[in-house]
Amino acid sequence: MKREEGFKPKITVIVPTYNEAKLIEKKLDDIYAQEYPRDRLEVILIDSASSDGTLEIAEKWKEEHGEINLKIIEEDSRRGKAHSLNEALKHSTGEVVVITDADSFCGTRDSLRRAAEWFSDPSVGAVSCLKDPEGSEAPSIELGYRGYYNVLRVAESKAYSTPIFHGELASFRKDLLEEAEGFPVDIGSDDSHTATKIAAMGYRAIMPEDVLCKELVPKRGYNSWKIRRAQHLVQHFMKAMKLKVKAPKNFDRILKVEEYLHLVNPWILLGGAVLLSASAIMGSLISLIFLALGIALLMYKPYRTWISMQLYLVIAAIKNLWSREIVWEKQEK
Ligand code: GDD
Ligand code: MN
């Protein structure tokens, strides 16, 4: 890919908020600190009827920072993040639209600029960020995930495109967003699904190595947070199976592997564990040895991380049967 330094398309940064009073000021400051020409930058904050004073804080911030172009949109009820993004899209004038969650921060002051520069290549349709593992006090298991998945995401990007995007910074060519009919409101993973759609349309959806963001991890309820996100990924890959892929074969392969890893593989692990236990109970020594080995390996962190991800995905698939979590409970970060 060709990346032209100094390429500065007009950007619309959209920040969706629901009860982000604790973080919104810091978030706006973080965008403000980005090195990007002010006349090429528009910020839209869209709030879905927060009850904790998010809007008041944002309004006050806007008054104090007249030199940055900030629009604040107020929705009268909460219908989910994707619904808000679609609403904000109608007000966006940038060539590139960047979605960024209120509980995330750019890794460096040039994250926006670096992401934007990739759009100088006409084959690039969407750009996301890597999660900076050092940028937070995340539990060690979370750091394990990030290191591991960052490598996968970069590799997929280099091969063609990655079907997983991050809400900390998910940027899209605006005309392609329109062609893709905006963000899907029936599933939770708006960012990944839209990126996948754009990749299926034949454009690259990439996570470059040098665009970094930090995400805050909930203080309490880590497991339910992981399960909800796994639910969203399961929804995304189920829906992605119905996509018509016009992209090069490379992407079809990446997508099939990720569909397999998210939808099938976790069940094989579970099935294997059940069968091994049953046959160990029935007296098979070899099964008992394998089972013991599987348990002993839990001491090894990468393996433990992988096992827990599989369990989250199994629970997520089951939970999706009755609750899709399109509008989710706010967790304290
Ligand atoms: N306007 C609006 N309306 N914003 C919302 C709503 C809503 O109904 N619900 C959540 N948000 C905002 C939050 O205020 C935050 O800025 C962002 O959307 C993400 O919400 P979090 O509560 O931080 O969700 P998360 O970090 O666990 O979710 C992550 O995974 C999702 C997919 O599973 C994020 O990366 C999301 O962007 C992603 O869609
Ligand atoms: Mn978040």
Side-chain angles (χ1 to χ4, degrees):
M1 280 179 288
K2 274 197 238 93
R3 175 197 203 179
E4 190 188 314
E5 272 188 37
F7 179 78
K8 292 198 171 61
K10 182 157 188 225
I11 295 185
T12 301
V13 175
I14 302 177
V15 186
T17 60
Y18 175 71
N19 284 354
E20 297 287 2
K22 264 174 83 180
L23 292 170
I24 193 59
E25 196 176 343
K26 190 169 170 219
K27 176 68 189 178
L28 292 170
D29 285 343
D30 190 62
I31 298 173
Y32 189 77
Q34 283 293 304
E35 289 159 356
Y36 208 80
R38 292 267 149 81
D39 60 334
R40 314 286 299 147
L41 181 68
E42 163 187 74
V43 183
I44 300 182
L45 183 152
I46 180 147
D47 185 79
S48 303
S50 289
S51 55
D52 66 346
T54 303
L55 262 181
E56 289 73 11
I57 298 171
E59 294 283 3
K60 185 160 169 274
W61 190 94
K62 181 181 156 102
E63 271 168 35
E64 291 162 0
H65 299 82
E67 62 285 15
I68 189 164
N69 176 5
L70 169 65
K71 284 183 203 164
I72 297 181
I73 305 174
E74 203 180 331
E75 289 190 298
D76 53 15
S77 66
R78 185 179 181 201
R79 273 157 290 186
K81 180 186 166 197
H83 180 276
S84 298
L85 296 181
N86 288 333
E87 191 54 37
L89 215 48
K90 296 181 197 156
H91 302 263
S92 309
T93 61
E95 295 151 66
V96 170
V97 172
V98 180
I99 313 297
T100 177
D101 293 346
D103 59 346
S104 71
F105 304 96
C106 290
T108 50
R109 292 184 62 180
D110 55 5
S111 301
L112 257 191
R113 176 176 67 77
R114 283 171 189 267
E117 272 173 5
W118 287 101
F119 288 94
S120 60
D121 187 319
S123 73
V124 173
V127 178
S128 189
C129 62
L130 293 179
K131 296 198 195 197
D132 183 356
E134 276 141 42
S136 74
E137 303 141 31
S140 71
I141 188 157
E142 184 65 22
L143 299 183
Y145 285 123
R146 288 180 189 174
Y148 170 62
Y149 286 107
N150 279 352
V151 173
L152 269 182
R153 300 288 89 84
V154 171
E156 290 169 339
S157 303
K158 288 189 177 177
Y160 184 69
S161 287
T162 176
I164 296 188
F165 258 36
H166 295 151
E168 288 71 42
L169 189 157
S171 56
F172 307 92
R173 220 179 266 283
K174 190 174 169 223
D175 51 354
L176 294 180
L177 270 185
E178 278 158 4
E179 213 179 310
E181 289 168 348
F183 297 93
V185 292
D186 56 333
I187 59 167
S189 200
D190 47 82
D191 27 35
S192 298
H193 198 73
T194 308
T196 303
K197 243 175 148 176
I198 287 177
M201 280 153 66
Y203 295 87
R204 313 263 313 245
I206 57 169
M207 254 184 218
E209 278 153 295
D210 61 347
V211 182
L212 293 173
C213 281
K214 298 173 204 154
E215 174 195 31
L216 297 184
V217 170
K219 293 200 183 93
R220 258 173 292 129
Y222 178 79
N223 287 326
S224 54
W225 178 67
K226 289 305 277 193
I227 291 168
R228 164 165 60 74
R229 305 228 316 201
Q231 280 185 267
H232 291 168
L233 283 175
V234 169
Q235 293 163 11
H236 157 46
F237 284 112
M238 297 278 285
K239 197 172 161 86
M241 285 200 293
K242 292 178 215 135
L243 275 180
K244 284 212 172 53
V245 180
K246 278 191 283 180
K249 270 241 157 351
N250 247 357
F251 185 59
D252 209 23
R253 226 174 292 150
I254 293 171
L255 192 56
K256 290 230 163 66
V257 168
E258 290 293 351
E259 281 165 2
Y260 168 81
L261 285 177
H262 285 84
L263 304 176
V264 183
N265 199 52
W267 294 94
I268 295 183
L269 175 79
L270 189 71
V274 169
L275 283 179
L276 270 185
S277 311
S279 100
I281 288 169
M282 278 160 31
S284 156
L285 186 64
I286 189 105
S287 299
L288 192 66
I289 292 171
F290 271 115
L291 199 63
L293 211 63
I295 293 169
L297 267 173
L298 286 172
M299 309 269 288
Y300 178 55
K301 206 173 96 186
Y303 173 81
R304 193 166 64 233
T305 303
W306 179 76
I307 293 282
S308 54
M309 188 64 205
Q310 308 310 304
L311 293 180
Y312 289 135
L313 284 165
V314 166
I315 299 169
I318 297 170
K319 232 183 136 196
N320 267 340
L321 295 174
W322 72 88
S323 144
R324 295 176 62 83
E325 301 277 345
I326 305 293
V327 174
W328 57 84
E329 209 178 299
K330 179 86 228 151
Q331 268 166 314
E332 206 189 313
K333 313 264 166 46

